[in-house]
Amino acid sequence: MRLSTKGRYAVTAMLDLALNGKNGPVTLAEISENQGISLSYLEQLFAALRNKELVRGVRGPGGGYYLGKSADEISIANIICAVDEWVEFTRCGGRQNCSGGARCLTHTLWDDLSSEIFNFLANISLGDLVRRNLNKSEESEEEQPPLSVVGESDSSSQAA
Amino acid sequence: MRLSTKGRYAVTAMLDLALNGKNGPVTLAEISENQGISLSYLEQLFAALRNKELVRGVRGPGGGYYLGKSADEISIANIICAVDEWVEFTRCGGRQNCSGGARCLTHTLWDDLSSEIFNFLANISLGDLVRRNLNKSEESEEEQPPLSVVGESDSSSQAA
DNA sequence: CTAATTCCCAAGTGATTTACTAGGTAATGC
DNA sequence: GCATTACCTAGTAAATCACTTGGGAATTAG
């Protein structure tokens, strides 16, 4: 998993699309304006998103972009992977002996954590985020817990 | 949050330290060997980790690094933030009107998601990962669910 | 005391990535 | 046919990555 600013641009743009695309397509010019991202950079990001069929472009006047599927079918992980493409990290390529035999244990741990993070992001959809925001708008100033809490771990006090 | 390869190096190195540091300090040379990371790059990473008091160095022969606190008190978010430092993403600086008034809504959504991801990583400690691995070694080939599942979301079928 | 070992520190470097500009072409609507 | 939009390619300054070089400074073994 890789969560760079590029992925953030993509997620932010997709959120904009999900929010403003209810009636008719949204132009990249609008997203550029709204989110302060350069038009041409958006074009590059959307080329990648288009390849993964996360968005669908319509040319000509009145054109723009639609979501490629329903907001509930698009996960944050989908978006990030589309633009930031997954790089395999551990060098031991899964099968190699990895300097000293059973020392590859650390890599196993990392791989576990890595897919953990991926699953987390794969379980949050654009639809989730949008719905959550609508709820917040209605309930206005009421305190609300984060959309889905990890539970378990009570290892206190580590917010930087 | 920012999860680059740099953060991965740091997490991997810290895992190595947590696993091999039970009796005596671990040298960067060992970690370098084990994990295939250049010694000097490790030094840079550990300089950052030292600043955040996540590790403690001991000089001279027989020296090396200890964890700065117990493995349970060190979260993955701690490690990543130490080396990869948090960059604020949204341009509207929290208070600005953000081109067109209520359009900053997308940014609110992003901020929510962002702190969501952070909390997730803040709730996984080095200790958690190590314990999980020990369990796995004992129970050997038994199937085990990922360390902590998100629950809730049933928005099926989105693993790439 | 000396020498080896380790952490510590600073500067520099080629490769890659980031976010962007410039300059197009292709389809579509009025 | 003209404006509008998506689509495509190339180039670029700045930043980041992962690493090298070349030194220290503290500690221990002998």
Side-chain angles (χ1 to χ4, degrees), chain A residues 16-149:
Chain A
D16 195 285
L17 191 50
L19 286 167
N20 298 114
K22 308 275 178 179
N23 34 3
V26 181
T27 67
L28 291 189
E30 289 177 79
I31 299 178
S32 171
E33 174 87 7
N34 289 346
Q35 305 302 329
I37 309 171
S38 99
L39 180 60
S40 230
Y41 194 42
L42 276 177
E43 285 180 341
Q44 285 173 45
L45 295 178
F46 273 69
L49 295 170
R50 210 171 345 107
N51 285 339
K52 294 287 167 57
E53 295 180 325
L54 297 179
V55 297
R56 187 165 48 81
V58 178
R59 297 209 246 200
Y65 276 98
Y66 291 99
L67 289 180
K69 32 188 138 178
S70 102
D72 288 320
E73 290 175 304
I74 299 175
S75 74
I76 304 305
N78 288 154
I79 298 169
I80 290 173
C81 288
V83 299
D84 232 356
E85 76 206 58
W86 191 279
V87 271
E88 211 43 68
F89 180 58
T90 52
R91 289 137 189 275
C92 55
R95 221 177 317 281
Q96 219 164 310
N97 71 338
C98 193
S99 76
R103 209 54 81 82
C104 197
L105 184 133
T106 320
H107 290 177
T108 309
L109 280 185
W110 169 261
D111 284 342
D112 283 356
L113 175 62
S114 191
S115 56
E116 190 91 20
I117 295 169
F118 176 83
N119 286 333
F120 175 71
L121 294 176
N123 276 323
I124 302 176
S125 72
L126 274 187
D128 289 335
L129 288 173
V130 171
R131 268 189 304 278
R132 170 164 162 71
N133 187 274
L134 294 181
N135 289 345
K136 198 191 283 172
S137 303
E138 286 164 18
E139 303 177 20
S140 210
E141 291 290 84
E142 207 162 324
E143 205 68 17
Q144 227 179 359
L147 165 154
S148 82
V149 180

Side-chain angles (χ1 to χ4, degrees), chain A residues 33-36, chain B residues 90-108:
Chain A
E33 174 87 7
N34 289 346
Q35 305 302 329
Chain B
T90 52
R91 290 141 188 273
C92 56
R95 221 178 316 281
Q96 218 163 313
N97 72 336
C98 194
S99 75
R103 209 52 83 82
C104 196
L105 184 133
T106 319
H107 290 176
T108 309

